[in-house]
Amino acid sequence: MAYEKECENLINWYVYGKLPLSEIVFFITNRCNQRCVTCWQWEEDFIVSGKELPDEKWKELLIEAIEMGAHHLYIVGGGEPMVRGELVLELGEMAKKHGLFCVLHTNGTLLKKEHMDRLIQLCWDQIVVSLDGPNPGVNDFIRGHGTFDKVYRNLIYIRDHRIYNGQPIPDLGINFTITSTNYKYIPEMVELAKATGCGGIHATLVLPLSEQSKRFVLKEEEFKECLTFLKEGLALSRIYGIYSTFDSVMEEIDKKLKGEGEGFSASMESKKNSLINSFCVEPFLSLAISSDGRVGPCCMFWTDSNPSISENSLKEIWEGEFIKRLREILIRNAYSTLPPPCQSCPSQLRKRTEGIKRALLEREKSASKNILTLASRFLNRFKNEGVRGAVKRTWEYLYTLVRGI
């Protein structure tokens, strides 16, 4: 079943009130070697190097997260993670020794041959690079002269040298920010993904978080045009077997054109105060840590109220009032009471939430009241997990059967 581990953790919270951490997200730096014209962060000149957590602290946090149950490690920006390339690799070595699924988001320009070779040797799971156009003319206008060629060469190097054992490792992906200057090139971006051996395109609309980035937001007519290119790109990605978030971007544009809020559809809101109803499940699964030690539930939720690891342990924050209150708010799914970061969250970033909720629905629908079926499932659990495991699973099954999810 898709999202099996995430569903198990959510059911564990629902039935027992105990919630293991599923994943940890590290923003190890806000420094960057690029000055992308759509990025709002570098306008403050990244005067943060003296405030960044030291290497040893990141290693301690990773060990603590693993002890709390984390099975995914994301290293993202922020700035460009490979500014601290050696730290990325050291964290990767630690994480892979403990069997974590590892993801790196990078602009791809600082990857050296030795970096890529070590990532391949580690069987690093996924590398997602940022490209905002299918050729130098489109991409480099946004991301800087020469960036397309650097990233393209590195993608080809990994594609040609990575390990093939059923599935190629690392899996490659493209982060693509849709702007008024590149939306017509969406189908070409799919062709680029195919040519470079990428398994996915993670597309998002440019966020108008600064005067600079507002210049690149699509106008109404451009949104309408963009839908046509997104449909073409989605059809092409399905033909090639490439994962994309184009469908979620289309939903977001539809809502913008109709002037609607960002809530989920009515079919997903049939149960109040339930996991299936929750606006977002990130606070039930993950913790994100900024370069200076602030902690939030995801990459978008940063406020003055976010706790810091300088004052609390990761476990204390995970079990503390800040995250608990956020879970309570999100599970009610009342759009008017959502915190501002949630109200402005792009819908494609919540695509995983929708997938997990659908997996929970499938689990609930598969529940059976037939005694023979229950007995058969108990025996199968007994064979695979012993008495304790069988009893635990049966109790969870009966609990959710009676109360729903």
Side-chain angles (χ1 to χ4, degrees):
M1 181 182 74
Y3 300 111
E4 182 172 2
K5 186 66 175 177
E6 290 83 357
C7 286
E8 288 297 329
N9 282 5
L10 289 169
I11 293 296
N12 196 68
W13 171 80
Y14 187 63
V15 177
Y16 305 107
K18 297 179 180 179
L19 186 60
L21 179 65
S22 291
E23 65 185 39
I24 191 72
V25 184
F26 283 174
F27 291 80
I28 61 173
T29 185
N30 276 350
R31 290 175 288 156
C32 190
N33 63 310
Q34 292 187 324
R35 291 293 183 263
C36 302
V37 293
T38 55
C39 179
W40 68 95
Q41 297 193 75
W42 62 263
E43 292 180 13
E44 296 181 359
D45 293 327
F46 292 96
I47 308 174
V48 293
S49 58
K51 299 179 182 178
E52 289 179 354
L53 299 177
D55 290 6
E56 290 306 312
K57 186 61 179 179
W58 287 111
K59 295 173 188 177
E60 290 173 14
L61 289 168
L62 178 57
I63 292 300
E64 187 177 359
I66 292 170
E67 291 172 348
M68 293 167 61
H71 50 84
H72 274 64
L73 168 65
Y74 289 82
I75 300 179
V76 300
E80 166 49 41
M82 293 310 294
V83 167
R84 301 179 73 175
E86 190 58 35
L87 174 60
V88 170
L89 294 169
E90 289 177 6
L91 290 170
E93 288 172 355
M94 292 171 60
K96 294 308 292 183
K97 285 179 182 177
H98 289 86
L100 272 68
F101 187 97
C102 296
V103 181
L104 171 65
H105 286 245
T106 171
N107 65 34
T109 61
L110 295 182
L111 287 170
K112 301 176 182 177
K113 179 180 178 296
E114 54 266 32
H115 295 149
M116 294 184 284
D117 287 342
R118 284 178 67 182
L119 289 167
I120 291 169
Q121 291 165 6
L122 282 172
C123 290
W124 189 274
D125 297 280
Q126 188 176 52
I127 301 171
V128 183
V129 302
S130 296
L131 281 171
D132 289 331
N135 56 58
V138 180
N139 177 82
D140 292 5
F141 171 74
I142 296 172
R143 306 194 68 85
H145 178 70
T147 58
F148 180 88
D149 289 338
K150 288 180 182 177
V151 177
Y152 183 84
R153 286 197 301 269
N154 287 338
L155 282 173
I156 295 300
Y157 183 88
I158 297 172
R159 182 200 69 181
D160 292 346
H161 292 82
R162 63 186 172 181
I163 299 167
Y164 287 82
N165 185 17
Q167 293 292 330
I169 297 177
D171 176 40
L172 294 172
I174 292 174
N175 263 334
F176 174 50
T177 301
I178 299 173
T179 71
S180 58
T181 64
N182 66 13
Y183 71 92
K184 296 181 180 180
Y185 297 92
I186 291 170
E188 286 88 342
M189 290 299 294
V190 180
E191 296 287 359
L192 175 66
K194 182 177 185 297
T196 53
C198 291
I201 298 180
H202 307 262
T204 58
L205 294 171
V206 63
L207 295 174
L209 299 180
S210 69
E211 293 304 316
Q212 174 83 348
S213 56
K214 286 176 184 177
R215 296 169 44 218
F216 294 89
V217 174
L218 280 67
K219 298 178 176 61
E220 183 174 347
E221 287 305 312
E222 291 172 327
F223 274 130
K224 292 176 181 177
E225 271 192 294
C226 186
L227 285 173
T228 300
F229 293 109
L230 283 166
K231 290 174 184 175
E232 186 178 341
L234 181 61
L236 199 58
S237 66
R238 287 173 174 170
I239 290 171
Y240 292 150
I242 293 173
Y243 167 87
S244 80
T245 60
F246 294 151
D247 52 348
S248 296
V249 180
M250 290 164 61
E251 290 174 14
E252 185 174 4
I253 291 176
D254 280 336
K255 288 175 182 176
K256 288 180 183 295
L257 292 174
K258 293 175 182 176
E260 296 178 1
E262 293 287 349
F264 285 111
S265 65
S267 63
M268 298 297 283
E269 297 182 4
S270 58
K271 293 187 173 186
K272 298 301 177 183
N273 294 312
S274 69
L275 285 171
I276 291 172
N277 175 68
S278 183
F279 181 78
C280 174
V281 296
E282 292 304 314
F284 297 89
L285 299 173
S286 69
L287 286 177
I289 306 176
S290 70
S291 62
D292 61 358
R294 287 179 302 144
V295 182
C298 68
C299 63
M300 291 294 293
F301 201 103
W302 303 110
T303 70
D304 293 337
S305 301
N306 283 52
S308 171
I309 54 91
S310 64
E311 301 168 354
N312 306 275
S313 70
L314 215 53
K315 189 173 188 293
E316 288 170 339
I317 293 172
W318 181 243
E319 298 175 352
E321 287 304 310
F322 178 82
I323 297 293
K324 280 185 177 179
R325 283 198 303 271
L326 188 54
R327 291 172 190 149
E328 291 168 0
I329 292 170
L330 294 181
I331 208 167
R332 289 198 296 269
N333 197 5
Y335 184 75
S336 60
T337 64
L338 291 176
C342 298
Q343 291 189 12
S344 62
C345 182
S347 60
Q348 59 268 32
L349 295 186
R350 298 196 311 275
K351 186 170 183 176
R352 183 173 72 153
T353 283
E354 295 189 56
I356 291 170
K357 288 161 69 172
R358 291 192 176 96
L360 286 168
L361 277 171
E362 290 173 11
R363 179 175 176 140
E364 185 179 47
K365 288 176 181 177
S366 69
S368 171
K369 295 181 182 180
N370 184 284
I371 297 299
L372 292 177
T373 302
L374 288 171
S376 175
R377 290 183 176 179
F378 179 85
L379 289 173
N380 286 333
R381 292 291 185 187
F382 176 77
K383 291 177 182 177
N384 295 327
E385 301 178 23
V387 175
R388 186 174 181 178
V391 171
K392 179 177 181 292
R393 298 285 182 169
T394 302
W395 168 246
E396 293 170 1
Y397 178 80
L398 292 172
Y399 187 93
T400 56
L401 178 65
V402 173
R403 287 195 56 186
I405 299 176

